[in-house]
Amino acid sequence: MAQRMSVDGFKAKDERLLAAIAEHVKRPLLYARQAAELAERDTTALDVSALKTSADAGLLLVEHYLTWRRYAQERGEPVLNVQIGLSAVMHRVTEQLSGIARQQQTSLKLQPQGRHAPINTDTKLLSSGLSALGLAFIEAAEHTEDSEVIFGVHRTRWGLTAGVYSPDVPVRPKAFKRQKDLAGTSRQLLPATSHSPMSGVAIADALFNQLNVSLRPSRHKGMHGLAVTLAPSPQLSLL
């Protein structure tokens, strides 16, 4: 069961996440200002689609932050539901992110391996965490016609591992720990070659912590990524 944060612990975490959010959402504002200045000089047309996508990504991340805040401050305990299929949750998340990925020239794919038992989890926390994580990988990808972000599920001896992976986004354990520790205090990137802030990863990590699972570097079909491992429900048979 999730443990309620102390007041000081909540405030410190809240400040770090707010700093990460601020780093992220200032980008569409800066873009809008630059576009407005150029439009005043009639030197370019406003790319409405790019501005909308940037704003959508920022709004989505704010929504996920508010979800974390409600659980961490007000509710304290997740609501564990039964008969939640990981593949179904991840399918909904990919649908949610499809427009942002398309604008970023990145292909989203879902790669569950085999049939999996349902899990006991809080659907809102899980889907919000996966969405924030997916957003970070979309923004860190190379944004070429071959760019891919994969939502993968596979079985391990510890349970079902669900994560986000990409051949374009190498993730190393030491670098991940260092970047996570610094998230919200400076403009940390994932990976070092990306121009995307680590805001989505910081939010995802906080959301998964509410489920008492740890976000960690992982591999799926030869790709690097970040994932959590969830225990299948022992009372239910395979779907």
Side-chain angles (χ1 to χ4, degrees):
M1 302 291 284
Q3 296 181 352
R4 187 179 297 274
M5 284 187 180
S6 67
V7 174
D8 289 342
F10 171 79
K11 288 182 178 179
K13 188 71 172 180
D14 193 40
E15 288 176 0
R16 286 166 62 88
L17 294 182
L18 278 173
I21 288 288
E23 183 67 43
H24 193 283
V25 300
K26 76 180 184 183
R27 291 185 298 160
L29 297 176
L30 290 171
Y31 177 82
R33 175 172 177 160
Q34 181 185 41
E37 290 174 349
L38 292 173
E40 281 182 342
R41 296 194 290 267
D42 294 326
T43 57
T44 187
L46 176 64
D47 188 341
V48 176
S49 180
L51 178 58
K52 180 179 181 299
T53 299
S54 184
D56 285 345
L59 287 170
L60 190 57
L61 206 59
V62 170
E63 180 183 332
H64 295 329
Y65 158 74
L66 292 174
T67 295
W68 168 82
R69 201 176 197 279
R70 285 194 296 269
Y71 278 84
Q73 185 180 37
E74 300 168 11
R75 295 176 60 174
E77 297 289 347
V79 178
L80 298 180
N81 301 307
V82 180
Q83 294 183 329
I84 301 300
L86 266 177
S87 297
V89 171
M90 297 178 90
H91 176 74
R92 290 196 294 270
V93 171
T94 57
E95 287 293 310
Q96 180 188 54
L97 298 177
S98 61
I100 295 172
R102 190 163 46 248
Q103 173 64 30
Q104 299 290 340
Q105 295 184 304
T106 300
S107 168
L108 286 186
K109 295 182 179 179
L110 179 60
Q111 291 185 348
Q113 293 183 339
R115 301 171 67 189
H116 306 298
I119 56 172
N120 292 327
T121 192
D122 186 296
T123 311
K124 181 63 175 177
L125 283 172
L126 179 61
S127 60
S128 295
L130 289 170
S131 177
L133 189 59
L135 182 62
F137 271 72
I138 290 169
E139 296 185 329
E142 295 180 358
H143 302 161
T144 65
E145 293 183 357
D146 298 327
S147 294
E148 290 184 341
V149 170
I150 310 297
F151 283 78
V153 182
H154 61 269
R155 190 189 309 277
T156 71
R157 59 179 175 173
W158 300 282
L160 299 177
T161 295
V164 183
Y165 308 85
S166 175
D168 304 320
V169 187
V171 179
R172 299 291 185 268
K174 288 184 178 180
F176 168 68
K177 183 181 185 304
R178 182 172 63 253
Q179 290 165 334
K180 189 171 72 169
D181 290 343
L182 293 173
T185 61
S186 62
R187 190 179 178 82
Q188 293 302 305
L189 307 178
L190 177 68
T193 56
S194 168
H195 296 292
S196 170
M198 201 180 170
S199 315
V201 176
I203 299 297
D205 184 58
L207 287 161
F208 290 134
N209 283 343
Q210 288 296 303
L211 290 172
N212 274 350
V213 295
S214 299
L215 188 63
R216 58 179 177 76
S218 176
R219 287 176 66 86
H220 176 81
K221 293 188 174 181
M223 292 176 292
H224 294 279
L226 296 171
V228 293
T229 298
L230 304 144
S233 173
Q235 294 86 8
L236 299 169
S237 60
L238 295 181
L239 289 175

